[in-house]
Amino acid sequence: MDWARQINIKNPAEIAIMREAGRINATILATVREQLKPGVSTAELDAAAEDVLKKHGAVSPFKGYGYPPFPNSITVSINEELVHGIPSANRKLKEGDIVSVDCGTFFEGYVADSAFSAGVGEISPKARNLLEVTEQSLYIGIAKMRSGNRTGDISEAIQKFVESHGFQVTREYTGHGVGRQMHEGPQVPNYGTAGTGILLRPGMVIALEPMVLIGTHKTKVSKDKWTVVSADGSLTAHFEHSVAVTEGDPLILTVL
Ligand code: MG
Ligand code: MG
């Protein structure tokens, strides 16, 4: 992939703008999270996200992205849907669903990208475990985002943690650099080998995004050409933050 070759180091002023974009993105996700209730349509979630974007003078980098152009501002993926679900007025949340919401914010020339998964009402113990392991794996990966480490250190840490809980990481979709473009280098898979890959340097910003499946790691793309589902129909989850590498601790940009 060509975008994966282009690594853009950000200066402190750029990181500061990306932090603002990240704050808006976190506000959107918090707003959507409050609406995860049975009977709410995924189109309503998208409309709520749009409202927050507009209020902040920001736009979605998802809308119009790719081919066929993605039609909405957020992706909403339910249960076996791993990522890239298209919001729809006909798709309503049900008690027991697990919902993954991915959102981007394009603000003053820079992109923030983050995602979370959460249950609707009561969910099964297995689903709860999947959410916990996936979210923890994101923070385990972030802890490896230190200057002097390599992308493979992040990848291996995420994979080992997820597999130690009996779950699988996706192979086809990866974390990525983020900046003026939604997708820049380096590419950061959720599987790999420590000590390999790109050397991390201060000013790199990476959207780290473990995508975890209960059954097979294999996926397929639905007829709508966007929605990615687990090949065996098993449950999936997805958490993502945009994070800057610094001289010291990693700086999570996509928080309030
Ligand atoms: Mg994302
Ligand atoms: Mg991303």
Side-chain angles (χ1 to χ4, degrees):
M1 281 196 184
D2 282 332
W3 57 258
R5 277 186 244 282
Q6 183 64 44
I7 296 172
N8 299 311
I9 299 296
K10 283 82 182 176
N11 64 36
E14 292 178 291
I15 301 277
I17 298 170
M18 293 188 74
R19 178 73 183 90
E20 283 312 303
R23 219 186 288 278
I24 297 167
N25 215 57
T27 304
I28 296 168
L29 290 183
T31 303
V32 171
R33 188 189 277 270
E34 278 172 18
Q35 304 205 5
L36 297 183
K37 297 189 179 86
V40 173
S41 77
T42 56
E44 288 173 280
L45 301 178
D46 183 62
E50 277 273 317
D51 281 348
V52 181
L53 281 165
K54 277 210 193 95
K55 219 169 82 188
H56 289 86
V59 296
S60 168
F62 291 10
K63 205 172 216 175
Y65 186 88
Y67 192 83
F70 193 81
N72 296 87
S73 294
I74 60 173
T75 72
V76 186
S77 311
I78 301 173
N79 297 332
E80 78 282 3
E81 298 169 356
L82 177 65
V83 285
H84 303 169
I86 302 175
S88 161
N90 299 323
R91 188 75 191 270
K92 295 199 160 64
L93 305 184
K94 297 195 305 284
E95 177 90 14
D97 280 342
I98 62 175
V99 185
S100 300
V101 179
D102 196 344
C103 181
T105 292
F106 187 65
F107 177 72
E108 294 187 2
Y110 291 85
V111 175
D113 185 10
S114 63
F116 73 96
S117 299
V120 179
E122 277 298 307
I123 60 173
S124 70
K126 184 91 173 168
R128 187 159 303 286
N129 186 226
L130 173 68
L131 296 183
E132 285 167 5
V133 167
T134 308
E135 184 167 24
Q136 282 177 42
S137 77
L138 171 60
Y139 290 97
I140 280 166
I142 290 171
K144 296 285 180 186
M145 285 188 56
R146 304 191 76 89
S147 179
N149 280 356
R150 289 185 181 271
T151 53
D153 298 331
I154 305 169
S155 302
E156 183 182 284
I158 291 171
Q159 181 181 19
K160 275 197 169 157
F161 180 77
V162 167
E163 292 182 355
S164 77
H165 288 271
F167 300 140
Q168 298 289 318
V169 287
T170 188
R171 302 300 196 269
E172 291 100 333
Y173 304 91
T174 72
H176 51 91
V178 59
R180 287 193 174 275
Q181 308 294 325
M182 181 158 60
H183 293 126
E184 301 180 352
Q187 203 165 12
V188 186
N190 297 305
Y191 65 97
T193 307
T196 67
I198 303 289
L199 191 65
L200 301 179
R201 289 193 285 142
M204 280 185 178
V205 181
I206 293 171
L208 202 58
E209 47 181 320
M211 292 159 243
V212 175
L213 307 93
I214 275 185
T216 176
H217 64 72
K218 295 205 175 90
T219 61
K220 54 190 186 187
V221 178
S222 306
K223 272 194 240 129
D224 65 17
K225 303 256 207 306
W226 274 105
T227 312
V228 176
V229 299
S230 59
D232 61 3
S234 62
L235 285 180
T236 67
H238 177 210
F239 283 83
E240 176 179 31
H241 273 308
S242 298
V243 183
V245 179
T246 74
E247 303 282 355
D249 293 337
L251 176 66
I252 302 177
L253 302 174
T254 40
V255 285
L256 291 176

